[in-house]
Amino acid sequence: MRNLPGIEDASGLPEPRFDLWAAPAVSGKPHHLGHRERLRDRAVAGGLAALPDYELLELFLFRSIPKKDVKPLAKQLLARFGSLGAVLGASPEELRTVKGVGEAVALDLKLLHEATLRTAKEQVARRPLISSWSALLAYVKAALAHENREQFRVLFLDKKNQLLADEVMNRGTVDHAPVYPREVVRRALELSASALILVHNHPSGDPTPSSADVDMTRQVVDAARALRIAVHDHLVVGRDGVASFKALGLM
């Protein structure tokens, strides 16, 4: 209701005018900014370990996308890939299939994955791998559990079973990576390696060794034995775990 001209209140000043049809004024910060502050406060108070995966991912995405609610994106990423490890292990191309993930966000997620790999690798470097088995398993899982194509790697060890090099010898398809025993042994000689640990992944998720895996391992063991190079184990990595040939009695 509008005031009539000339009507004043007791103060002698005209009454303020009101327009019932005007849109309400927007005040305060956007909702997602308040949510960010609350999430940061909870992370500080309770520690990052107390946060569920989607909130941990959301907290990281704050830095990649500073002016948008990123909770829906964090949940979409986890729904698309199934786990936090799978999100980080996804390729940039796969990440960009999720709406809201551009080149910058994909790069940030891959940087986090690389930092995770390097941290895990530090735990197996400069120490005998045979006595650091749990750290080794954590490293190969971080490196290979979520790869979508088979990858064959070799860990080259010195006389003290310390890591000389971790090298990808071949990449293949979703269910096969060609392995050439002569190339493995040749590279071991170049590095003056005394022992090897073979590693490859199964993108299907099931780490159970196949008959082809068993045959290939025997070929590498035979070629290495002729040059007095030991093969300590062959690890098959999948999302469901890591299978050890030695533990399974396959070598």
Side-chain angles (χ1 to χ4, degrees):
M1 176 176 183
R2 299 183 183 276
N3 296 321
L4 295 176
I7 300 298
E8 297 180 349
D9 66 4
S11 68
L13 298 175
E15 281 191 16
R17 294 178 179 271
F18 299 98
D19 189 342
L20 295 178
W21 306 107
V26 177
S27 61
K29 298 178 180 178
H31 171 74
H32 73 272
L33 294 182
H35 171 68
R36 288 184 178 211
E37 292 172 359
R38 291 190 294 273
L39 181 54
R40 289 190 182 102
D41 289 343
R42 284 201 295 112
V44 171
L48 294 174
L51 299 179
D53 285 353
Y54 81 89
E55 289 189 333
L56 193 67
L57 183 56
E58 184 184 357
L59 198 60
F60 180 77
L61 290 172
F62 287 173
R63 290 146 179 79
S64 305
I65 306 175
K67 296 182 180 180
K68 185 179 178 182
D69 182 8
V70 294
K71 180 191 287 188
L73 178 57
K75 290 187 173 182
Q76 288 168 24
L77 284 165
L78 289 169
R80 165 69 174 81
F81 296 105
S83 69
L84 183 58
V87 171
L88 300 183
S91 69
E93 294 75 21
E94 290 173 322
L95 290 169
R96 289 198 294 269
T97 64
V98 177
K99 185 178 180 180
V101 176
E103 186 175 344
V105 173
L107 176 60
D108 285 350
L109 290 170
K110 295 313 298 179
L111 284 171
L112 182 57
H113 185 229
E114 182 63 24
T116 302
L117 289 180
R118 294 190 186 194
T119 301
K121 191 172 183 178
E122 286 175 359
Q123 303 303 312
V124 301
R126 303 186 187 91
R127 67 183 67 184
L129 289 189
I130 303 304
S131 61
S132 306
W133 205 248
S134 60
L136 174 62
L137 295 182
Y139 169 60
V140 297
K141 283 180 67 176
L144 290 171
H146 301 290
E147 284 286 329
N148 60 6
R149 295 188 179 278
E150 274 205 18
Q151 191 181 112
F152 178 72
R153 303 169 78 130
V154 179
L155 307 183
F156 298 93
L157 312 180
D158 64 14
K159 292 180 180 180
K160 297 180 179 179
N161 286 320
Q162 294 180 336
L163 185 65
L164 287 171
D166 167 17
E167 297 187 359
V168 177
M169 301 297 292
N170 221 325
R171 289 182 171 89
T173 64
V174 294
D175 60 2
H176 177 66
V179 179
Y180 305 101
R182 290 183 180 179
E183 289 299 309
V184 174
V185 173
R186 179 187 63 78
R187 184 59 178 150
L189 292 174
E190 290 177 350
L191 294 169
S192 298
S194 297
L196 313 172
I197 295 176
L198 311 179
V199 186
H200 86 280
N201 64 304
H202 281 177
S204 66
D206 181 3
T208 304
S210 67
S211 58
D213 294 337
V214 174
D215 291 341
M216 176 270 290
T217 303
R218 288 174 178 164
Q219 292 176 37
V220 175
V221 169
D222 290 344
R225 183 186 295 120
L227 296 169
R228 298 183 180 180
I229 299 171
V231 179
H232 289 320
D233 207 339
H234 184 172
L235 303 176
V236 185
V237 183
R239 289 186 300 276
D240 299 336
V242 181
S244 161
F245 269 56
K246 190 169 184 179
L248 293 171
L250 296 175
M251 58 181 301

